[in-house]
Amino acid sequence: MATPKRINLGLQGGGAHGAFTWGVLQRLLEDERLEIAAMSGTSAGALNGAAVKSGLIENGREGAIAQLDWLWSQMAGINDMRLATWIGGPFMSPGAFSRALEASAPFSFADTYSRMVSPYAYGPFYQNPLERIVRQFDFDEVCAKTGPDLFICATNVRTGKIRVFTGHDISTEAILASACLPEIFQAVEFEDPQTGEIEAFWDGGYTGNPALFPMFEAHLPSDIIVVNINPLVRDDLPKAPQEIQNRINEISFNSSLLRELRAISFVQRLLSDGTLEPGPDEARPYPRDRRRPADERAVCGDQAGAHRLYHRDAETGGLCRGPHIPRPAFRPDRAGQLCRPGSDVQLNSSGCVGSLGLG
């Protein structure tokens, strides 16, 4: 068998839409032509990344798939209305759950309550419903030096800057911090191993969803697959309160990724026209976005079309589209709803898979 192609993965956060990423990861793990070298994850992406790394260390590809199955079976078992907008309901038919949920009195009450009442109002009765699941990870495996590099993104509340946890800095608290929406959860406070100070953290989606720069290291491969689960484009104007809030969240949680992609494209242009010279000792002068043109729609292609795996042609160096990826689990459809598992589909609309060439 030929040597597997090493790839990096950028795992975006998006609540229950992280179940879409579950399906993408399962398909990638089933393909022995690919080897995961590094993962950068935020929120649900951090949970998926931790599950994959732990499973790979324990029992290879089969172990990673089993860990993902375990994770999302646990997520589906959470019975907490505070998570109505986060966890959603991935096991109902397309559209039915979304319409029923938004029209239901319990959801309307929980949604309004979460926006009007601080999570600190619970006092001593507060408990993060994700903690029970995250504490069950084997952190000897999650933090191991072997296996793919893992980067967990969170936002420092005090400084407003991104904090990327990796290696033995990753903990239960770091993963909970990465998934800490401040309207629902109290800030996750713990001693940051980097500073030795007690710091408070919120969801990493505000500053890196996901952060790509940790995977620019010379020992990592030159391709990143970004699993984007927050729609970039919505043609219809949001009018209902939930639709408006949902679109605000989508724009906010895509902005950091788009900024980073624009920066990559900008430096690439400077290198191409000779304005900026690569350093003499740099094996890879700067990450290069091989998509053309470098604009918002090029980040994930036309939202009305199918997204595929992108790869670099060995002869021309140009961007090529790979085969469609069968979906073994769930995906968000164009309306941001969740579909039942079933037949293979293309990675389209709300979710996309793309590749960044960094070499």
Side-chain angles (χ1 to χ4, degrees):
M1 180 182 292
T3 302
K5 178 177 178 59
R6 300 175 72 236
I7 58 172
N8 303 317
L9 300 178
L11 308 178
Q12 195 172 49
H17 289 180
F20 166 84
T21 305
W22 167 23
V24 174
L25 289 170
Q26 181 173 330
R27 180 63 184 89
L28 294 176
L29 287 163
E30 290 171 348
D31 192 335
E32 296 187 359
R33 297 171 300 174
L34 301 174
E35 176 186 336
I36 300 172
M39 296 175 287
S40 179
T42 296
S43 193
L47 292 164
N48 279 321
V52 168
K53 174 149 187 180
S54 176
L56 284 172
I57 297 295
E58 183 177 345
N59 191 30
R61 296 171 185 265
E62 291 183 0
I65 292 172
Q67 273 289 93
L68 286 167
D69 291 347
W70 169 84
L71 170 64
W72 286 99
S73 68
Q74 293 293 306
M75 297 291 282
I78 294 179
N79 184 21
D80 192 316
M81 281 306 295
R82 288 176 297 167
L83 292 185
T85 56
W86 196 99
I87 194 65
F91 305 104
M92 293 185 68
S93 60
F97 177 82
S98 180
R99 291 190 296 270
L101 184 64
E102 291 188 7
S104 69
F107 173 81
S108 297
F109 174 77
D111 184 60
T112 302
Y113 186 82
S114 68
R115 303 188 193 286
M116 295 179 61
V117 179
S118 166
Y120 292 88
Y122 292 97
F125 300 101
Y126 171 83
Q127 184 177 12
N128 189 321
L130 297 176
E131 183 173 356
R132 175 186 61 81
I133 298 173
V134 177
R135 287 203 179 278
Q136 295 182 63
F137 283 129
D138 185 333
F139 281 90
D140 287 338
E141 297 171 348
V142 173
C143 301
K145 292 183 179 180
T146 56
D149 293 355
L150 179 61
F151 305 97
I152 304 296
C153 310
T155 301
N156 186 304
V157 179
R158 179 177 59 85
T159 66
K161 296 180 179 180
I162 189 172
R163 171 67 165 97
V164 179
F165 297 90
T166 190
H168 289 287
D169 286 356
I170 299 176
S171 62
T172 296
E173 290 73 22
I175 295 177
L176 291 176
S178 183
C180 179
L181 288 175
E183 301 94 342
I184 301 174
F185 305 124
Q186 293 181 12
V188 181
E189 299 182 64
F190 58 98
E191 182 179 315
D192 186 345
Q194 193 175 70
T195 65
E197 302 289 336
I198 300 297
E199 298 282 4
F201 295 94
W202 282 343
D203 198 292
Y206 298 112
T207 50
N209 193 26
L212 303 182
F213 68 85
M215 297 185 288
F216 295 167
E217 297 295 332
H219 71 280
L220 293 175
S222 60
D223 291 289
I224 296 177
I225 296 177
V226 177
V227 186
N228 178 276
I229 57 178
N230 294 308
L232 294 176
V233 178
R234 284 192 182 273
D235 296 327
D236 297 330
L237 177 67
K239 296 181 179 179
Q242 287 85 7
E243 292 175 349
I244 294 170
Q245 187 61 45
N246 186 51
R247 188 57 183 152
I248 290 172
N249 291 336
E250 290 169 353
I251 293 171
S252 300
F253 277 34
N254 276 325
S255 61
S256 59
L257 176 62
L258 291 174
R259 283 196 301 270
E260 195 164 5
L261 292 174
R262 290 190 190 103
I264 292 171
S265 178
F266 175 66
V267 174
Q268 177 190 351
R269 291 198 301 271
L270 294 179
L271 290 168
S272 297
D273 62 21
T275 303
L276 182 65
E277 292 294 332
D281 298 327
E282 296 180 11
R284 295 183 303 172
Y286 199 83
R288 304 192 66 188
D289 182 354
R290 304 194 192 283
R291 275 177 291 247
R292 303 291 189 272
D295 58 24
E296 282 82 355
R297 282 191 177 268
V299 171
C300 287
D302 186 347
Q303 291 296 302
H307 302 294
R308 307 167 182 234
L309 266 175
Y310 290 85
H311 66 275
R312 185 182 184 186
D313 186 273
E315 296 181 359
T316 67
L319 178 69
C320 300
R321 288 174 178 261
H324 294 307
I325 300 178
R327 175 191 56 80
F330 307 102
R331 67 165 177 86
D333 68 7
R334 189 169 188 179
Q337 299 152 356
L338 291 162
C339 302
R340 296 178 65 87
S343 60
D344 291 347
V345 298
Q346 301 167 1
L347 306 183
N348 60 7
S349 302
S350 294
C352 80
V353 173
S355 173
L356 283 173
L358 303 181

